[in-house]
Every structure is written in C-alpha cells, then in structure tokens.
C-alpha cells in the first residue's frame, strides 16, 4: 500500500464567526481529528505542568511586561524543566508550539487558533484559513449559543477578539492576526454559509496541494 502524505489545516477565527463549527464539520468531512483544547491537554501531559496553567494563558496575554517586551521578542525554544522560566507564559506557549509542530509532522489534522498558522509557517504541508463574519452575524451567533443579550454578546466579541489579536501580535513578533497575507484564504461565513466554507476550504487545499491531497483523502472526497 502506497504511503500518503499528511496535511494540516489551521483555522483562525473571529469570535462568533463559526470558525470552530466549520473546523469540526471539516474534520468530519475529511475524517481527521480537530485540535483546540486538546492541545492544552497534550501540552500538560508533555510538560508535567497542570492543564489549568495552560488554560489560563490560552490565546491570552498576561501582564504589561509581555506587552512591553514585544519589540524585543524572538521565537524561543522551550526551556528545560530545571529552568526558572519553565512556567512562564512564553514557555507555556512554546510547549504548545512544539506539540503543534509534532502533530504537523505526523498526522493529518485541523488546528483551531493557537497561532498555528504562524507556528507552522515554514511547513510545506499546511493550509491556513481565517474565518470572519459581519458583526451582526457574530452577535446573532453568540446570543443564540450563549443565551446572552445583544449588549453582552457585543462585549464578549470585543473582549475575545482583542485578546486573540494581542496574543497573535506578541507571539508572531509583531504581525497582526487579521492580516490576509498570513492565510491561504479568508472566508466570510455569513456570505456563503458555514457548510459552503467547508467546501471552499477543501477546494483550496486541492488547488494548493493537487493530487497529493486528493490521494490522501480519496475515500472521503468521493462522498
């Protein structure tokens, strides 16, 4: 039996845009795992640190010291457990980044958030996508799913998108989260619908990787 190449799809998403739902539908369509919170569990197991510690810094920045050091930041490797910096926010991020890289080397999967498009920018088997929607669509989605008022939904969207943007800017060394150049494609989920976003992403992966992608997912793409 011929070996097939593994492929990774990264999904960055505005809060309420349906990016997570699209990623899950895409995973079901291609028959591959979707990683989001699972990466925190894996990072905890890999490092021996508590999962709660990773949850506290999941796509967030803490403290002015991190913001102030942005311009001096260069992407570091994870330090050893003996180091006093082992539990720092930067090192927690680096541990997650190592997990993401190992996944990209070994399995086909979908990764939601986690600055994954930047972490994997030098990998040649990765397709990166950004999902966004107009504010009205995000508001409707959050109000429905979280049973909150329009005002509460608006506050959640503003707060969540801000910390995701700050997180991305810091760990990418100054790049901005919504920069279209970061991605192979940006999708407006309200304009074409979430299911069709799945179709578009698959078509883009076919265009980018050609027969190798189609070979890997031959059985799934026939359906």
């Amino acid at each position: 039996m011929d070996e097939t190449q593994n492929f990774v799809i990264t999904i960055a998403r505005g809060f309420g845009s349906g990016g997570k739902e699209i990623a899950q539908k895409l995973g079901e369509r291609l028959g591959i795992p979707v990683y989001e919170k699972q990466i925190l569990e894996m990072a905890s197991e890999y490092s021996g640190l508590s999962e709660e510690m990773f949850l506290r810094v999941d796509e967030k920045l803490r403290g002015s010291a991190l913001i102030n050091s942005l311009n001096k930041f260069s992407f570091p490797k994870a330090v050893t457990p003996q180091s006093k910096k082992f539990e720092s926010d930067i090192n927690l991020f680096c541990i997650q980044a190592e997990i993401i890289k190992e996944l990209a080397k070994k399995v086909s999967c979908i990764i939601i958030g986690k600055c994954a498009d930047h972490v994997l920018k030098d990998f040649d088997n990765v397709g990166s996508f950004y999902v966004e929607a107009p504010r009205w669509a995000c508001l409707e989605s959050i109000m429905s799913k979280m049973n909150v008022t329009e005002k509460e939904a608006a506050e959640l969207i503003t707060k969540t998108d801000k910390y995701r943007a700050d997180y991305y800017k810091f760990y990418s060394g100054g790049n901005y989260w919504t920069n279209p150049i970061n991605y192979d494609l940006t999708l407006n989920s309200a304009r074409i619908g979430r299911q069709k976003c799945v179709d578009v992403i698959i078509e883009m992966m076919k265009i980018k990787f050609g027969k190798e992608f189609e070979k890997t997912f031959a059985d799934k793409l026939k359906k």
Side-chain angles (χ1 to χ4, degrees):
M1 183 177 178
D2 293 337
E3 290 188 6
T4 55
Q5 183 179 345
N6 70 296
F7 292 95
V8 177
I9 298 171
T10 75
I11 304 287
R13 71 285 184 225
F15 191 57
S17 67
K20 183 174 181 177
E21 180 184 332
I22 290 165
Q24 291 170 334
K25 288 179 180 293
L26 187 60
E28 291 171 4
R29 175 82 175 275
L30 296 176
I32 57 178
V34 179
Y35 293 102
E36 186 189 26
K37 299 298 183 186
Q38 296 91 336
I39 290 174
L40 308 182
E41 298 170 6
M42 296 165 73
S44 173
E45 182 177 350
Y46 169 81
S47 66
L49 300 175
S50 72
E51 187 179 338
E52 182 182 352
M53 191 174 293
F54 287 94
L55 284 168
R56 287 201 300 266
V57 297
D58 183 27
E59 296 189 88
K60 300 179 181 72
L61 286 176
R62 298 189 301 178
S64 59
L66 288 179
I67 301 297
N68 292 337
S69 65
L70 171 61
N71 293 329
K72 301 177 183 178
F73 182 79
S74 60
F75 192 78
K77 292 184 178 179
V79 297
T80 63
Q82 291 75 27
S83 169
K84 291 181 180 180
K85 295 181 180 179
F86 190 59
E87 295 184 3
S88 72
D89 288 2
I90 289 175
N91 203 58
L92 294 176
F93 172 82
C94 290
I95 291 168
Q96 292 180 69
E98 290 301 313
I99 297 295
I100 290 169
K101 289 177 182 177
E102 285 303 307
L103 287 170
K105 291 174 186 176
K106 297 175 180 177
V107 297
S108 290
C109 62
I110 298 162
I111 301 175
I112 303 172
K114 306 292 181 291
C115 217
D117 65 282
H118 177 74
V119 171
L120 300 178
K121 61 184 174 60
D122 295 324
F123 282 64
D124 60 7
N125 64 332
V126 177
S128 294
F129 300 86
Y130 178 73
V131 179
E132 192 51 281
R135 176 56 69 97
W136 63 263
C138 294
L139 284 170
E140 286 184 1
S141 179
I142 297 302
M143 289 166 64
S144 174
K145 288 186 176 181
M146 302 184 71
N147 193 28
V148 294
T149 66
E150 183 173 340
K151 181 181 178 182
E152 290 170 329
E155 290 173 351
L156 283 168
I157 291 168
T158 299
K159 179 180 178 181
T160 305
D161 282 352
K162 183 181 186 306
Y163 75 60
R164 285 179 180 172
D166 289 345
Y167 180 94
Y168 190 97
K169 184 177 181 181
F170 181 77
Y171 287 112
S172 67
N175 197 352
Y176 62 96
W177 173 48
T178 57
N179 185 353
I181 295 174
N182 299 342
Y183 308 102
D184 293 293
L185 195 66
T186 297
L187 300 100
N188 182 337
S189 60
R191 182 165 293 182
I192 65 172
R194 296 180 182 183
Q195 184 56 55
K196 287 186 178 178
C197 282
V198 173
D199 299 333
V200 171
I201 290 171
I202 289 173
E203 289 305 310
M204 186 62 193
M205 292 294 287
K206 287 181 183 179
I207 292 168
K208 183 173 183 178
F209 296 109
K211 292 183 179 179
E212 281 300 318
F213 180 82
E214 295 185 35
K215 179 181 177 182
T216 297
F217 298 103
D219 292 341
K220 299 296 181 181
L221 295 176
K222 287 178 182 178
K223 296 178 180 180

